[in-house]
Amino acid sequence: MRELIKVTREKMTAAVLYGKRDVRIEQIPIPRIGAGEVLVRIKAALTCGTDLKVYRQGFHARMIVPPAVFGHELSGVVEEVGEGVESFSPGMRVVAANSGPCNKCFYCKRHLENLCENLEFINGAYAEFIKIPQSIVRQNLLILPDSVSFREAALVEPLACVLRAIENTGIEEGDTVVVIGMGPIGLMFVQVLKSMGARVVALGSRSSQLTMAEVMGADHVIDSTHSNVVEQVRKVTDGRRGADVVIEAVGSKETWQQAMSMVRRGGTINLFGGCPSGTNIMLDSTLIHYSEITIKANFHHTPRHIREALEAIHRGKLKAQSLITGEEKLTALRNVLERLLNRNGDLKIAIIP
Ligand SMILES: [Zn+2]
Ligand SMILES: [Zn+2]
């Protein structure tokens, strides 16, 4: 039966981005796979701030030139495997990361696969099928435990970025950590940090987000639209010292700068949110030098963190379902993206082909 479906069907439904806020649901060819590749039938794709950015501006400088399929947080079932693929077979439930490293370059050899010189990205999660290239099949395609749903599994990619950032920042139990920005990423930080025993101060601009931050365990929530946010943060740290760690998860000039004024002497800030390209910021050199502030930043994930993320979801360390606030059909994608642009209070929406 499966074979019959394969030969009689050549097209699939997919969302194609044509430009600014122009996404169309079309019938396009099902990708053909070659040796070492895997065809996955998508069961869930999650909306993400990056996709929203791509939809709003109509392209992605490094990855998406329209017309193009897009979407990158996905899980599904193996439909077909190429020659030489031994670890996967049709019917397996899997999650794929959105990139695969080369394993050969300078960075890969130092386990900095996130900075791989030949990082291969995939896009096209808002579709019925997606082709998983060799680099991902080799390292970033994982089989799902039965108890992990497709929706939850699709969170692996963003969660891996968060886990890597936390590890890289060096946070200890009892540390006071400020998280700026309560979008899905910021809320993931809150949950993971709480599970590690950190004291978390959550800064967000919308009341719905702050309520979520409280539900996820934040010890203090602060409305970031207040004029004296820095002062408010200092008030909830011992002796107005400032936070041990500040994680910026917005990606704006203002919040990057704010992060520096909230951290204590000798503290660390992690500039996790990426600003629009070409953004320059001013640094207070006196503050950084005499207060010995460490500035870190994080981009992307590694195969190890992809595994750790799936494990964290499997063990229930993350209330994955609370981050997914709705489910819609692929044909409704345009409406979903418009709704998210209007900041209706939704976090992530699961798109089901
Ligand atoms: Zn994403
Ligand atoms: Zn590499």
Side-chain angles (χ1 to χ4, degrees), residues 78-191:
V78 172
E79 178 76 9
E80 199 184 326
V81 302
E83 205 188 304
V85 172
E86 284 169 3
S87 317
F88 301 95
S89 53
M92 279 180 172
R93 301 168 75 246
V94 291
V95 59
N98 62 336
S99 70
C102 75
N103 269 344
K104 290 178 189 139
C105 73
F106 175 90
Y107 298 99
C108 282
K109 284 183 182 151
R110 281 156 185 78
H111 294 293
L112 292 167
E113 294 96 339
N114 56 309
L115 300 178
C116 170
E117 288 167 359
N118 311 298
L119 206 56
E120 186 173 16
F121 283 93
I122 50 166
N123 276 291
Y126 301 131
E128 281 183 275
F129 296 96
I130 191 164
K131 177 172 85 172
I132 311 295
Q134 277 189 35
S135 63
I136 297 177
V137 172
R138 221 170 33 224
Q139 296 166 90
N140 274 342
L141 184 65
L142 305 181
I143 298 168
L144 298 183
D146 290 342
S147 60
V148 176
S149 70
F150 289 117
R151 285 166 49 142
E152 292 172 304
L155 283 169
V156 159
E157 192 271 326
L159 179 60
C161 300
V162 166
L163 294 181
R164 191 174 163 275
I166 289 175
E167 182 184 291
N168 184 27
T169 308
I171 294 162
E172 287 175 25
E173 197 178 334
D175 277 355
T176 296
V177 183
V178 171
V179 182
I180 306 176
M182 284 298 116
I185 289 280
L187 289 166
M188 270 190 229
F189 270 112
V190 171
Q191 284 194 41

Side-chain angles (χ1 to χ4, degrees), residues 220-235:
H220 298 276
V221 297
I222 294 173
D223 180 347
S224 58
T225 59
H226 275 185
S227 51
N228 56 349
V229 187
V230 176
E231 182 55 26
Q232 301 232 7
V233 168
R234 289 198 172 265
K235 248 189 235 169

Side-chain angles (χ1 to χ4, degrees), residues 48-50 72-73 157-158 348:
C48 160
T50 307
H72 62 275
E73 297 177 9
E157 192 271 326
K348 281 174 169 293

Side-chain angles (χ1 to χ4, degrees), residues 45-323:
L46 298 179
T47 59
C48 160
T50 307
D51 298 340
L52 214 55
K53 222 188 285 178
V54 165
Y55 173 70
R56 195 178 45 215
Q57 65 190 19
F59 66 93
H60 186 288
R62 292 179 60 184
M63 281 186 293
I64 297 165
V65 183
V69 289
F70 70 123
H72 62 275
E73 297 177 9
L74 68 108
S75 63
V77 171
V78 172
E79 178 76 9
E80 199 184 326
V81 302
E83 205 188 304
V85 172
E86 284 169 3
S87 317
F88 301 95
S89 53
M92 279 180 172
R93 301 168 75 246
V94 291
V95 59
N98 62 336
S99 70
C102 75
N103 269 344
K104 290 178 189 139
C105 73
F106 175 90
Y107 298 99
C108 282
K109 284 183 182 151
R110 281 156 185 78
H111 294 293
L112 292 167
E113 294 96 339
N114 56 309
L115 300 178
C116 170
E117 288 167 359
N118 311 298
L119 206 56
E120 186 173 16
F121 283 93
I122 50 166
N123 276 291
Y126 301 131
E128 281 183 275
F129 296 96
I130 191 164
K131 177 172 85 172
I132 311 295
Q134 277 189 35
S135 63
I136 297 177
V137 172
R138 221 170 33 224
Q139 296 166 90
N140 274 342
L141 184 65
L142 305 181
I143 298 168
L144 298 183
D146 290 342
S147 60
V148 176
S149 70
F150 289 117
R151 285 166 49 142
E152 292 172 304
L155 283 169
V156 159
E157 192 271 326
L159 179 60
C161 300
V162 166
L163 294 181
R164 191 174 163 275
I166 289 175
E167 182 184 291
N168 184 27
T169 308
I171 294 162
E172 287 175 25
E173 197 178 334
D175 277 355
T176 296
V177 183
V178 171
V179 182
I180 306 176
M182 284 298 116
I185 289 280
L187 289 166
M188 270 190 229
F189 270 112
V190 171
Q191 284 194 41
V192 178
L193 290 166
K194 279 312 293 177
S195 77
M196 297 169 56
R199 197 167 145 257
V200 177
V201 182
L203 263 66
S205 58
R206 285 180 267 163
S207 65
S208 61
Q209 294 178 330
L210 293 176
T211 308
M212 281 299 284
E214 262 175 343
V215 171
M216 291 180 185
D219 299 275
H220 298 276
V221 297
I222 294 173
D223 180 347
S224 58
T225 59
H226 275 185
S227 51
N228 56 349
V229 187
V230 176
E231 182 55 26
Q232 301 232 7
V233 168
R234 289 198 172 265
K235 248 189 235 169
V236 298
T237 60
D238 247 358
R240 312 169 76 81
R241 183 191 301 137
D244 299 303
V245 172
V246 179
I247 293 171
E248 196 280 352
V250 175
S252 79
K253 207 170 172 162
E254 295 71 28
T255 42
W256 273 38
Q257 272 167 332
Q258 214 172 42
M260 282 175 239
S261 47
M262 289 175 178
V263 74
R264 69 162 166 81
R265 299 169 71 197
T268 302
I269 65 173
N270 192 320
L271 303 171
F272 183 89
C275 298
S277 54
T279 305
N280 290 302
I281 61 162
M282 299 277 279
L283 294 178
D284 179 342
S285 60
T286 307
L287 179 73
I288 291 176
H289 180 81
Y290 291 101
S291 298
E292 281 201 348
I293 291 169
T294 302
I295 301 176
K296 296 201 171 192
N298 270 89
F299 165 72
H300 215 50
H301 47 69
T302 69
R304 175 165 68 82
H305 294 95
I306 290 289
R307 279 156 185 77
E308 285 177 13
L310 179 56
E311 184 63 16
I313 291 171
H314 182 39
R315 293 190 181 281
K317 269 197 195 167
L318 190 82
K319 294 186 200 106
Q321 288 298 349
S322 57
L323 294 164

